[in-house]
Amino acid sequence: MKKFALLLALGTLLLSCSSDEDTIPAESYQKSIASFKVINTPEQITAVVSEVDKKIVLTLPYYLGATAIELDIQLATGYTLVDRPENKLIQDVSDYLLNKKEALVYTLKNEKGELKKYTLEIVTYQPDIVVKELYNEGAKVKEYPRTATLDWGDGPTVIENSIRIASDQIIKRVNGIEITKVFFIDATGKETELKKISTSKTGINAYFPENMAVGEYQVRVENYSRSVLLKRPVKLIKMQGEK
């Protein structure tokens, strides 16, 4: 009986020690960020803050009509932001969503000098872009005359040419802000934006800049937070009548 009591006491002691080691301090889960909001949009957007994995998830509406977002961050009593201002601006939402150049980390410090780091994750519900390829697989690379200046005797005239990309998902702008871009990518990987574009319910017309170099290009389309690279290249050629 004494042996059983000794084993029971030893087991209780071991369990107690194990529980003490595995217990996460309660202050780790205490709320440090009272609210995290976007305040320069038509409707206020509030992020979800997780104290468990120290993550701030900000979900933006599909086609948010803003080039930058301004934040209002309210902290719990006793906390201050260490490494960035409370109204930190993301200057270009579309660029951030497409390229995600850096993780945005917010570091908080309490009155004891202890630090907490939170990573901001920005997401949207935008579906992937679906565009139609410019020609069928196995066919000859499609050729497009470039934009050039011609002179038929009445003085020089700029003749614009464009590429037509079919899609029923593209929206050119929201609240006056351009959210669609078309790029030509040459053999070296250099991208040239075709800045003059027009859109309709069925696709995009992107106009070539004047005297763009002839040769083969890949075509890439950006639309707000999504990007798609067309599988088949195109070839830019001189316009008939160019010298």
Side-chain angles (χ1 to χ4, degrees):
M1 187 67 179
K2 289 182 179 180
K3 186 176 181 181
F4 175 76
L6 179 61
L7 289 173
L8 182 61
L10 181 60
T12 303
L13 178 62
L14 289 173
L15 182 60
S16 175
C17 292
S18 176
S19 298
D20 289 343
E21 291 175 359
D22 294 341
T23 300
I24 299 174
E27 56 267 22
S28 295
Y29 291 142
Q30 288 178 352
K31 201 170 186 179
S32 307
I33 300 176
S35 68
F36 192 103
K37 300 175 181 178
V38 178
I39 57 175
N40 67 320
T41 50
E43 294 183 8
Q44 185 173 274
I45 303 167
T46 302
V48 176
V49 181
S50 171
E51 293 293 341
V52 177
D53 54 12
K54 300 297 183 288
K55 185 179 289 186
I56 307 164
V57 180
L58 181 62
T59 302
L60 300 179
Y62 185 27
Y63 294 134
L64 171 69
T67 54
I69 57 176
E70 183 177 350
L71 304 174
D72 175 60
I73 306 171
Q74 299 297 321
L75 305 179
T77 302
Y79 282 91
T80 56
L81 271 171
V82 175
D83 57 353
R84 61 177 68 244
E86 293 189 11
N87 65 338
K88 169 69 177 180
L89 292 177
I90 297 173
Q91 296 297 339
D92 189 328
V93 177
S94 180
D95 178 66
Y96 176 81
L97 290 169
L98 285 163
N99 300 310
K100 292 183 171 59
K101 296 176 181 177
E102 62 171 331
L104 296 177
V105 178
Y106 291 82
T107 303
L108 276 62
K109 182 169 67 174
N110 63 16
E111 293 171 328
K112 298 178 182 178
E114 298 168 332
L115 300 179
K116 286 186 179 182
K117 292 182 181 290
Y118 294 80
T119 301
L120 175 62
E121 179 180 334
I122 301 178
V123 296
T124 71
Y125 289 130
Q126 182 181 1
D128 291 335
I129 304 171
V130 178
V131 297
K132 186 177 180 180
E133 289 292 329
L134 298 165
Y135 55 92
N136 294 329
E137 187 175 1
K140 180 183 176 182
V141 174
K142 192 167 184 178
E143 296 180 343
Y144 292 85
R146 67 179 182 175
T147 294
T149 299
L150 301 181
D151 191 342
W152 291 293
D154 297 325
T157 302
V158 176
I159 307 299
E160 284 190 312
N161 286 301
S162 65
I163 185 172
R164 174 73 178 174
I165 303 169
S167 175
D168 60 3
Q169 292 182 308
I170 301 300
I171 296 177
K172 186 172 186 282
R173 62 169 61 92
V174 172
N175 296 336
I177 298 167
E178 298 286 349
I179 60 170
T180 299
K181 297 179 181 179
V182 177
F183 298 88
F184 267 33
I185 309 170
D186 68 16
T188 68
K190 179 183 177 182
E191 292 193 345
T192 300
E193 182 181 352
L194 278 57
K195 293 187 176 181
K196 182 179 178 181
I197 63 172
S198 62
T199 61
S200 68
K201 293 181 179 179
T202 58
I204 315 164
N205 283 330
Y207 294 84
F208 307 121
E210 189 175 358
N211 296 325
M212 190 172 174
V214 298
E216 285 196 7
Y217 293 88
Q218 295 291 140
V219 182
R220 185 169 69 84
V221 178
E222 285 184 6
N223 188 238
Y224 187 48
S225 68
R226 297 290 185 265
S227 175
V228 62
L229 181 69
L230 275 68
K231 296 177 182 178
R232 301 177 193 117
V234 297
K235 188 174 184 179
L236 203 60
I237 61 173
K238 285 188 176 183
M239 191 187 306
Q240 187 175 4
E242 272 195 81
K243 294 181 179 179

